[in-house]
Amino acid sequence: MAALFSHKSLVVNNKDNDELELEWELTRTLENKVMLLYFGSGECPRCQEFAPILKEFFVRLTDEFYMERASQLVLIYVSLDNTEEKQEKFLKKMPKRWLFLPFQDEFKKELALRFSVTHPPVVVVLKPNGEVIAYNAVEEIKQQGTDCFKNWQEAADLVDRSFLLAQDFEDVTLRSITDPLRRFKYKLGEKLLIAGGF
């Protein structure tokens, strides 16, 4: 998944705005995690309504106050703000663990085109290998809260099973009663490998 941001700079939303520029930093931060790309703007009314929900969702999954161990989740804010000041104002209210692309980075436009982002807010959910789990999980997050992360986590785990022979699947136990539906739903999505481009 780090391949998507190879040779890019991501910024940590902390007071120092630490930049992750080196490949090993990016790899360590992004590998083996479900990645959320949040396309939004502090000025957009629908984003203003959704942002607190996304913030609560992220905090509940990554803060040790709520979780014994932080979930394997990383969120990258892809700003659609008109100015850098508006982006900064928005990010001040968001979790310190969020990452974001520098305001001037043209890669934001490429990502918006790649994932057909037209009406924010949009949350693209990616497996650790870069395949798309959901092209827009906004409604899923609103309706299911943190429960949808379990679905994504299980869908992401399917990557590990994809190399098994047919007879190996006979011994795979179901993780939950909804596991077959989840497998069906997320397996049928388009196989978009980020490293491979469009």
Side-chain angles (χ1 to χ4, degrees):
M1 184 143 43
L4 177 61
F5 291 96
S6 186
H7 308 296
K8 297 290 172 197
S9 177
L10 287 173
V11 183
V12 182
N13 188 34
N14 57 20
K15 65 181 175 65
D16 297 324
N17 281 347
D18 296 322
E19 287 198 37
L20 305 175
E21 298 177 289
L22 302 174
E23 287 302 307
W24 68 266
E25 287 179 305
L26 286 169
T27 301
R28 189 189 63 192
T29 304
L30 302 178
E31 75 177 351
N32 297 319
K33 292 183 182 165
V34 172
M35 181 192 289
L36 305 183
L37 299 181
Y38 173 47
F39 295 85
S41 161
E43 300 293 297
C44 154
R46 288 175 20 160
C47 298
Q48 288 172 352
E49 177 192 318
F50 177 65
I53 297 167
L54 183 60
K55 176 182 179 180
E56 176 76 4
F57 172 85
F58 183 82
V59 168
R60 285 193 170 272
L61 287 168
T62 58
D63 192 320
E64 276 80 17
F65 179 80
Y66 297 100
M67 306 284 292
E68 192 174 309
R69 190 168 54 88
S71 299
Q72 294 298 99
L73 177 69
V74 64
L75 185 144
I76 298 171
Y77 177 57
V78 184
S79 169
L80 302 176
D81 297 296
N82 293 327
T83 67
E84 191 167 5
E85 292 72 33
K86 288 178 182 174
Q87 175 180 302
E88 287 173 10
K89 184 180 174 186
F90 171 75
L91 284 168
K92 278 185 180 155
K93 298 180 249 168
M94 294 300 121
K96 303 296 177 229
R97 289 189 178 124
W98 278 21
L99 303 173
F100 63 95
L101 285 160
F103 183 77
Q104 300 80 6
D105 195 332
E106 291 295 312
F107 188 53
K108 295 185 301 182
K109 291 178 184 171
E110 187 181 321
L111 287 172
L113 280 171
R114 181 177 295 195
F115 296 109
S116 305
V117 174
T118 52
H119 302 293
V122 170
V123 176
V124 178
V125 184
L126 302 172
K127 295 180 182 184
N129 71 347
E131 288 181 23
V132 176
I133 294 174
Y135 280 95
N136 193 356
V138 169
E139 289 306 314
E140 208 173 343
I141 291 168
K142 283 182 181 177
Q143 292 169 13
Q144 297 177 31
T146 55
D147 287 345
C148 61
F149 180 73
K150 293 174 195 153
N151 297 343
W152 302 337
Q153 199 172 26
E154 288 187 22
D157 284 347
L158 294 178
V159 174
D160 298 332
R161 297 185 192 126
S162 63
F163 62 86
L164 295 177
L165 300 172
Q167 63 266 25
D168 294 333
F169 283 100
E170 293 170 5
D171 297 324
V172 175
T173 56
L174 298 182
R175 294 172 173 236
S176 67
I177 196 161
T178 59
D179 192 45
L181 294 173
R182 188 177 298 110
R183 290 177 194 219
F184 181 74
K185 176 181 177 183
Y186 292 119
K187 211 52 173 166
L188 285 184
E190 290 180 51
K191 302 258 182 176
L192 175 66
L193 285 173
I194 297 305
F198 294 91

